Amino acid sequence: MPAPDRWDLFCKVVDNYGDAGVCWRLARQLASEHALDVTLWLDDLATLSSIAPGVDPTRDRQQRAAVTIRRWTEPFPATAPADVVVAAFGCGLPETYVEAMTWRTPAPAWFILEYLSAESWIEGAHGLLSPHPRLGLSRRFWFPGFNARTGGLLRERGLIDARDSFRRDDAAMGALWSSLDLPRVGAPDEV
């Protein structure tokens, strides 16, 4: 069976920038590092535009960083479900979309992306199946966390190397502190 290549991520902005930021980061990684066709369905494009350069909060559909961004509106437009569906942070999915998921064979893989936690109980909840109460679909919980028994952390390829390189670059570190209008703290290897 070929690997799933089309993903739909659903997100409703609840508090500030965190929900939109995590979903944007996940969508970009899936598209750029795994060559997947990703659509981010988001109810608040103004919030995303504050943290994602080039996103136009007035456009209902746009492409940025290899991700299709769609405004999540009600009524929800007729849309063929993706191979993999992610509902972030308890946002749920549009009922018409869930119903359309039942028509697909095989049914899409459906994940509930939860909030990052260091609590030990998530180790037992990560990956658990949750059957839909009436439609015969199953959802799987995804709990990001800090060990191998959780969903791990979002981290772009090369992030640690880029960080280490930046920390060794005295001029870049000085420019950062200056741009923040803050005094430099410590030597480059102490920051």
Side-chain angles (χ1 to χ4, degrees), residues 127-148:
L128 288 180
L129 285 176
S130 174
H132 190 280
R134 53 184 180 78
L135 295 179
L137 296 168
S138 287
R139 308 164 276 202
R140 186 172 302 275
F141 287 99
W142 192 271
F143 283 89
F146 297 97
N147 66 45

Side-chain angles (χ1 to χ4, degrees), residues 34-130:
H34 303 283
L36 299 171
D37 178 3
V38 180
T39 298
L40 173 59
W41 292 90
L42 187 66
D43 68 335
D44 183 354
L45 297 182
T47 295
L48 182 60
S49 72
S50 298
I51 58 176
V55 171
D56 182 346
T58 66
R59 294 185 58 207
D60 290 344
R61 184 182 189 131
Q62 54 199 293
Q63 185 91 15
R64 295 289 176 270
V67 174
T68 300
I69 302 165
R70 302 273 313 258
R71 185 183 313 276
W72 182 351
T73 60
E74 294 297 334
F76 192 76
T79 303
D83 301 306
V84 179
V85 179
V86 178
F89 314 122
C91 72
L93 295 176
E95 194 58 37
T96 56
Y97 189 91
V98 173
E99 189 173 308
M101 288 170 60
T102 65
W103 304 332
R104 278 207 46 175
T105 303
W110 182 2
F111 292 92
I112 309 290
L113 175 62
E114 295 291 350
Y115 289 99
L116 172 66
S117 176
E119 295 182 45
S120 61
W121 68 267
I122 69 166
E123 295 171 8
H126 173 67
L128 288 180
L129 285 176
S130 174

Side-chain angles (χ1 to χ4, degrees), residues 6-45:
R6 199 165 71 78
W7 289 54
D8 280 348
L9 277 68
F10 288 84
C11 179
K12 287 188 177 181
V13 175
V14 176
D15 60 344
N16 299 317
Y17 303 104
D19 301 322
V22 168
C23 290
W24 176 237
R25 187 174 188 183
L26 175 59
R28 283 188 339 222
Q29 275 188 267
L30 291 169
S32 68
E33 295 182 12
H34 303 283
L36 299 171
D37 178 3
V38 180
T39 298
L40 173 59
W41 292 90
L42 187 66
D43 68 335
D44 183 354
L45 297 182

